[in-house]
Amino acid sequence: MKNLDQSERQRITILGSTGSIGVSTLEVIARHPHRFEIFALTASTRVDLMLAQCVAFKPVFAVMASEPHGLQLQQKCVALGLKTRVLWGAAAITTVASHELVDSVMAAIVGAAGLDACLGAARTGKRLLLANKEALVVGGDYFMQAVAKGGAKLLPIDSEHSAIFQSLPDDATTWAAQIGKIILTASGGPFRERAPHTLQAVTPEQACAHPNWVMGQKISVDSATMMNKALEVIEARYLFDVLPSQIEVVIHPQSVIHSMVQYKDNSVVAQLGTPDMKVPIAYGLSWPHRMESGASALDFSTMANLSFEAIDSRGHEQRFPGLALAWSVLNAPTGSPAILNAANEVAVAAFLAREIRFDQIHTVNAETLSTVLPHSPDSLEALLALDAQARAAAQQWVRRLGG
Ligand code: NAD
Ligand code: MG
């Protein structure tokens, strides 16, 4: 990673700039125009929002995932006389994430679709701000090795992992000797109080209505099933190099404590804040310093109580059967998290398309894990082949259940 002088402007590429994290990142950056310069923005389908972002932030490049969207954007940019160069395709997204003029990359694409660009940024030694947890879940050790070899600095953006990172000492070489447990907090999502047998009737609209956070559709559904927390357990295992047995999840409905580290002496250090992703985003952008995020401050006078519920209480294990899969895949061959992630991406898309029921997301995930033989891929190609195999198996389960 290039060492940045405080007075130098950071040149940044935002992958997934039209999504929830992408938009919040641009909001934070807009407060600090003297510190950041947008090199590239990338998106999948929202051409008009991308155009508005090009007008406001004047990136050198804007990349759309497909040619038709790229051509539409190009036409509109030309019509407005913008200097932004428009590109399209997955390879172009990776190019702007690894370009030599880029200092930092915000990885905010959803799903394994973001893996290649993350690896590009890791191999070229960027400051890599990682929101795209699926990329790390799929890439696992391979991802972490690319970060180490490329000399990149991986800064977690997921609020829980940012909280843990903020609760740990700067020197990562001391972590192993000091960490007792990582305690991830979970809000419990919209169905924390709901009787497990009624979850069959949940609609996509209900699943996407999170009580504390406003997020993209996929992570909202994942929060409702608590598969999001399962992905975060896997993410924590790789980011902080802890054993699966050192990771614990506790339900904390108010989302004020964003996660905690319990040290070997049983002292616990936590990070608190309002549930606003601008806080971890600003921390990632300004690390190792702090800057204004635009998020509101916590008001302790209105916080009558903070509560906690164990996962093995109040029927949570029946309500959220997917959470336990995190530890099963972490204790299986190293390709297993990629199988779980692929199955879950397919299952969530099928649920949102009303092809399967809410409770069947877990059926697809568990059945795919029992159908696809896990192994430990020795190359990126082998890993991607396993991802493709798991997607195909999950699609078959969707057809079986939906038909
Ligand atoms: P979102 O759906 O709002 O945005 C996703 C972005 O990715 C969009 O810009 C979209 O254009 C782009 N994209 C989607 N598919 C693509 C593809 N195939 N190729 C290229 N670009 C593609 O999602 P989000 O809520 O912003 O989440 C983004 C990531 O951040 C996810 O991995 C999520 O788990 C993680 N995250 C989000 C939040 C949150 O509060 N939203 C919190 C923590 C972590
Ligand atoms: Mg999170």
Side-chain angles (χ1 to χ4, degrees):
M1 184 193 56
K2 188 175 132 195
N3 275 330
L4 284 174
D5 186 312
Q6 277 276 77
S7 60
E8 254 181 288
R9 282 172 105 201
Q10 249 186 77
R11 250 185 246 125
I12 180 161
T13 284
I14 303 178
L15 306 171
S17 66
T18 57
S20 158
I21 293 287
V23 167
S24 296
T25 304
L26 286 170
E27 276 173 34
V28 175
I29 285 179
R31 305 178 79 86
H32 306 276
H34 55 289
R35 293 191 54 168
F36 302 96
E37 192 178 317
I38 303 293
F39 179 77
L41 299 174
T42 85
S44 173
T45 54
R46 298 177 69 182
V47 172
D48 287 337
L49 179 54
M50 176 59 109
L51 181 69
Q53 293 180 342
C54 288
V55 170
F57 293 93
K58 304 185 175 53
V60 181
F61 291 102
V63 190
M64 299 304 292
S66 76
E67 182 171 347
H69 293 110
L71 288 172
Q72 274 179 40
L73 179 68
Q74 193 174 48
Q75 244 176 20
K76 295 183 185 216
C77 284
V78 170
L80 292 182
L82 297 182
K83 289 201 185 107
T84 298
R85 279 190 57 193
V86 178
L87 308 173
W88 49 83
I93 294 179
T94 300
T95 302
V96 296
S98 22
H99 197 285
E100 59 175 3
L101 292 177
V102 172
D103 304 307
S104 304
V105 173
M106 165 56 83
I109 289 176
V110 58
L115 176 61
D116 195 63
C118 282
L119 288 175
R123 289 183 188 125
T124 48
K126 309 301 185 205
R127 262 171 94 103
L128 176 52
L129 282 63
L130 185 76
N132 184 193
K133 66 192 89 185
E134 297 92 347
L136 180 55
V137 167
V138 173
D141 288 327
Y142 187 88
F143 190 120
M144 295 308 288
Q145 280 159 17
V147 167
K149 269 197 224 154
K153 178 68 194 175
L154 192 52
L155 295 163
I157 297 300
D158 215 346
S159 57
E160 295 77 2
H161 305 74
S162 173
I164 293 160
F165 185 64
Q166 293 180 57
S167 304
L168 283 169
D170 291 343
D171 183 358
T173 61
T174 68
W175 292 355
Q178 298 190 67
I179 299 175
K181 257 199 265 178
I182 297 280
I183 304 167
L184 293 175
T185 51
S187 69
F191 308 133
R192 181 175 57 89
E193 301 278 0
R194 198 166 160 141
H197 71 272
T198 67
L199 288 171
Q200 294 191 357
V202 163
T203 64
E205 291 72 21
Q206 291 167 332
C208 287
H210 196 280
N212 304 351
W213 299 91
V214 181
M215 310 179 283
Q217 280 195 322
K218 196 259 177 184
I219 185 174
S220 297
V221 175
D222 283 348
S223 298
T225 57
M226 265 182 77
M227 270 306 295
N228 180 51
K229 211 50 56 179
L231 297 174
E232 290 181 356
V233 167
I234 302 169
E235 185 185 7
R237 183 255 167 275
Y238 290 115
L239 282 175
F240 306 113
D241 197 18
V242 288
L243 296 170
S245 57
Q246 284 177 289
I247 307 171
E248 193 177 300
V249 172
V250 64
I251 294 189
H252 166 48
Q254 298 80 18
S255 300
V256 169
I257 295 179
H258 294 308
S259 278
M260 328 178 224
V261 177
Q262 180 175 304
Y263 284 91
K264 292 247 163 101
D265 59 1
N266 285 343
S267 169
V268 176
V269 179
Q271 184 261 349
L272 285 68
T274 46
D276 186 333
M277 288 305 293
K278 290 200 286 298
V279 176
I281 290 170
Y283 188 65
L285 287 168
S286 60
W287 176 89
H289 308 287
R290 301 261 176 186
M291 66 182 193
E292 227 183 274
S293 66
S296 55
L298 273 180
D299 179 356
F300 286 91
S301 68
T302 63
M303 245 185 276
N305 61 55
L306 295 183
S307 60
F308 304 91
E309 296 165 15
I311 287 297
D312 62 0
S313 70
R314 306 193 59 226
H316 291 319
E317 284 171 329
Q318 291 74 42
R319 193 173 285 117
F320 304 119
L323 180 62
L325 296 178
W327 288 272
S328 337
V329 296
L330 284 176
N331 290 317
T334 60
S336 304
I339 300 176
L340 175 58
N341 177 71
N344 187 55
E345 285 192 30
V346 168
V348 170
F351 166 66
L352 287 170
R354 295 181 160 78
E355 290 164 15
I356 59 170
R357 297 191 315 254
F358 181 77
D359 59 303
Q360 290 176 328
I361 295 173
H362 177 66
T363 314
V364 172
N365 293 345
E367 295 293 359
T368 303
L369 277 174
S370 60
T371 335
V372 179
L373 193 65
H375 63 96
S376 297
D378 55 5
S379 66
L380 183 59
E381 292 66 37
L383 190 61
L384 296 178
L386 191 59
D387 169 88
Q389 193 193 344
R391 277 169 208 270
Q395 281 297 359
Q396 275 188 354
W397 279 104
V398 165
R399 277 193 291 274
R400 221 172 286 180
L401 295 166

